[in-house]
Amino acid sequence: MPANGGSHIDGARRRLLTAMLLSPLAWGPAFWGAQAWCATDASATDKGATDPAATAGSGQAKSYKRIIALEWLPVELLFALGVTPLAVAGSQDYRLWVREPVLPASIVDVGQRTEPNFELIADLQPDLILYSQGYGPRPEQLRAIAPAMGFGFTDERGRPLATARAGLLALARRLDRMPAAQAHLAAFDRELAEAGSRLASYRRQPLLMFSLMDDRHALIIGGTSLFGQVMDQLAIANVWQGENNFWGTAVVGIERLATLPLARAICLDHGDAALTSRVAATPLWQAIPFVRRKMLRTVPAIWIYGATLSALRFCRMLQQVEEQW
């Protein structure tokens, strides 16, 4: 369903359905099998896709100039390597849920991420199609058009950050951009190391990261999520110690927030001011400890299913919020 679904669906239900569609939650291991999102350096190379031109002739890598990315994680990987895709899927939703890196106006939109326009994709004559494993079209559908390469978000041990690094290196090898990947990862490691000292105040109290899904539900970011792993590296305690799904998040009733220990709290906002106002007006919300103690901050959305660029935005957001606390 598009993010701007039909007017016959009420706003709360539309938001919940949209959130579930946009996230991997609706397309998890129960649908594709647990290994669908197992993301190692080897799986990211997508051994099932053959591209003789990539190894023929002088042994140099093929030049990929027309790349289409059908999911936002590989879009982020491309930008980390300094590569702008020819086309992406879901560009309108990307600008709401991901925001940065900003998509240039010249990028072609090829439809929804779950149901892209295959005819348009074929007409664009791509050199390479990038997708997220276990999400959207089947790989064999894509390989019928052009060579394809898949990427995972996390692995069976819950390590999305390590998975993102492996995926970036695999893509860099495919595109012959290894120096760019190494430079990016070195800069990433430096910024995380420097953030550790800048964010020392967060170590005095646990932190809760969440996003409102509708009037009754919140999506909590747990320890095995991308941001949870970053918090671990920064020695910031995550107040959420409850259950997590495969992607390190948990959907809970808003009443569950009132049972958590007192903590700083950050809510990722997706531009729904009406929802925020409705929830904030309820007695339940006003009774939550971090609300009563004015320890809640609301910030623009950062893509929680992203890679290293999203992790860096998360670090920078924490610093900005720390200056306001």
Side-chain angles (χ1 to χ4, degrees), residues 94-147:
Y94 177 101
R95 292 181 174 96
L96 174 64
W97 291 79
V98 185
R99 303 191 185 194
E100 296 180 13
V102 175
L103 292 179
S106 60
I107 289 182
V108 179
D109 187 295
V110 291
Q112 299 179 38
R113 295 181 299 152
T114 51
E115 297 179 355
N117 186 329
F118 289 105
E119 183 177 354
L120 176 56
I121 292 172
D123 287 345
L124 290 172
Q125 299 181 333
D127 301 316
L128 183 64
I129 301 173
L130 306 181
Y131 64 96
S132 282
Q133 294 166 349
Y135 189 92
R138 296 188 302 275
E140 54 268 27
Q141 292 178 284
L142 305 177
R143 296 187 193 119
I145 300 173

Side-chain angles (χ1 to χ4, degrees), residues 7-295:
S7 58
H8 65 286
I9 301 178
D10 65 276
R13 177 172 168 77
R14 182 170 62 246
R15 180 176 176 81
L16 178 59
L17 291 175
T18 298
M20 296 300 288
L21 178 62
L22 288 173
S23 77
L25 296 174
W27 304 88
F31 186 83
W32 288 97
Q35 296 303 313
W37 285 77
C38 179
T40 63
D41 196 5
S43 69
T45 60
D46 194 359
K47 295 180 180 179
T50 58
D51 185 8
T55 55
S58 63
Q60 296 180 347
K62 176 183 176 180
S63 176
Y64 296 97
K65 297 181 179 180
R66 304 178 66 82
I67 302 174
I68 295 178
L70 299 183
E71 213 278 322
W72 299 335
L73 188 149
V75 171
E76 180 173 323
L77 297 178
L78 286 172
F79 280 128
L81 295 176
V83 176
T84 301
L86 169 69
V88 304
S91 63
Q92 181 178 351
D93 289 332
Y94 177 101
R95 292 181 174 96
L96 174 64
W97 291 79
V98 185
R99 303 191 185 194
E100 296 180 13
V102 175
L103 292 179
S106 60
I107 289 182
V108 179
D109 187 295
V110 291
Q112 299 179 38
R113 295 181 299 152
T114 51
E115 297 179 355
N117 186 329
F118 289 105
E119 183 177 354
L120 176 56
I121 292 172
D123 287 345
L124 290 172
Q125 299 181 333
D127 301 316
L128 183 64
I129 301 173
L130 306 181
Y131 64 96
S132 282
Q133 294 166 349
Y135 189 92
R138 296 188 302 275
E140 54 268 27
Q141 292 178 284
L142 305 177
R143 296 187 193 119
I145 300 173
M149 184 175 184
F151 300 86
F153 168 71
T154 190
D155 62 14
E156 69 282 355
R157 294 173 58 187
R159 301 179 302 170
L161 188 53
T163 300
R165 297 177 72 105
L168 184 73
L169 292 172
L171 182 59
R173 280 192 291 273
R174 185 73 176 258
L175 303 184
D176 196 21
R177 304 270 310 172
M178 190 58 70
Q182 293 170 339
H184 170 76
L185 291 177
F188 174 83
D189 290 337
R190 285 196 302 271
E191 185 160 346
L192 241 63
E194 294 167 358
S197 59
R198 293 197 301 265
L199 300 174
S201 70
Y202 283 95
R203 292 193 281 275
R204 295 197 295 266
Q205 196 165 26
L207 177 66
L208 173 68
M209 293 290 307
F210 71 98
S211 182
L212 293 176
M213 295 186 70
D214 63 12
D215 295 69
R216 298 181 179 181
H217 299 90
L219 179 74
I220 294 182
I221 297 172
T224 54
S225 66
L226 176 68
F227 297 165
Q229 277 208 297
V230 174
M231 289 169 62
D232 282 345
Q233 290 202 16
L234 298 175
I236 299 173
N238 192 331
V239 73
W240 178 252
Q241 297 298 314
E243 68 280 1
N244 296 319
N245 60 29
F246 189 73
W247 298 272
T249 55
V251 178
V252 302
I254 289 177
E255 69 278 2
R256 186 80 176 269
L257 302 181
T259 69
L260 298 177
L262 182 64
R264 288 179 171 183
I266 296 177
C267 178
L268 299 174
D269 175 62
H270 297 98
D272 194 334
L275 169 64
T276 302
S277 297
R278 287 196 307 272
V279 172
T282 63
L284 173 60
W285 183 259
Q286 295 168 14
I288 295 175
F290 61 72
V291 176
R292 291 201 322 266
R293 299 283 293 272
K294 301 187 185 304
M295 298 173 65

